[in-house]
Amino acid sequence: MEPAMARMMGWFLILLAIPAGYFSFWRAYDKFTSPAWPVASAEIVRSSMYQRTGKSQDWCVKLAYRYTVEGKAYRSARIGVSRIGNAGCHRDQAVTTWRLASMAPGARIRVHYRPGDPADTAVFLASLDVLDYFGAGLALVLFVLGVSEVRKREPAA
């Protein structure tokens, strides 16, 4: 490959690495910090269970709850810290049914909320998963390959 084309491809790879790294970092960061978030008591307003369609046929809990932080009332339906993930889901319908039994409307649950934004909550905390490691690894590989390509020089005559 010509050095000019290699450099252009390198910059393209670096530009791809930036959003991949950003997404991976923020997804993992929330999982790391959420166990230290403050906790509030919330009242469940609605609870139900649904089965995912597609490749994963997991059974998931769906909640709506209200809570108060420093005198201000909030409502949320957020289950986990990640918008993409398996928080509140399980392959076995019986496990999800068991979880849901303690989450009937009127029941109280603990919710973790982001210190700077109490409207951002999580009921189920999650640890790092394969997608977190894959995303970070992909961003790193793209960046290293991009830098390698950008640094290519004309061959000596």
Side-chain angles (χ1 to χ4, degrees):
M1 184 183 306
E2 274 185 45
M5 183 64 135
R7 281 192 298 277
M8 188 170 67
M9 180 60 86
W11 283 112
F12 177 73
L13 292 174
I14 290 170
L15 290 175
L16 282 178
I18 292 170
Y22 177 81
F23 173 77
S24 296
F25 172 79
W26 284 113
R27 188 173 192 272
Y29 179 79
D30 281 348
K31 288 181 179 183
F32 273 129
T33 60
S34 60
W37 289 358
V39 175
S41 177
E43 179 186 359
I44 296 177
V45 177
R46 283 187 322 274
S47 63
S48 61
M49 181 172 64
Y50 66 94
Q51 186 176 20
R52 289 181 178 174
T53 57
K55 185 177 179 184
S56 176
Q57 299 284 319
D58 293 348
W59 290 88
C60 303
V61 171
K62 185 175 182 179
L63 297 175
Y65 50 90
R66 60 179 163 230
Y67 58 102
T68 305
V69 174
E70 297 176 3
K72 186 173 180 188
Y74 295 91
R75 293 179 74 95
S76 182
R78 189 161 181 204
I79 297 290
V81 293
S82 177
R83 303 283 184 212
I84 301 171
N86 294 324
C89 297
H90 197 276
R91 275 184 241 113
D92 188 355
Q93 183 179 6
V95 171
T96 304
T97 302
W98 176 79
R99 281 182 182 168
L100 197 58
S102 65
M103 297 180 178
R108 308 254 357 139
I109 58 172
R110 292 171 25 118
V111 296
H112 294 256
Y113 62 90
R114 187 182 304 275
D117 181 11
D120 192 4
T121 60
V123 175
F124 299 107
L125 301 182
S127 57
L128 295 179
D129 58 22
V130 174
L131 188 58
D132 295 310
Y133 293 111
F134 176 77
L138 178 65
L140 183 63
V141 167
L142 288 172
F143 185 78
V144 169
L145 286 174
V147 169
S148 171
E149 292 297 309
V150 165
R151 297 184 73 190
K152 285 193 174 175
R153 301 278 183 231
E154 293 284 340

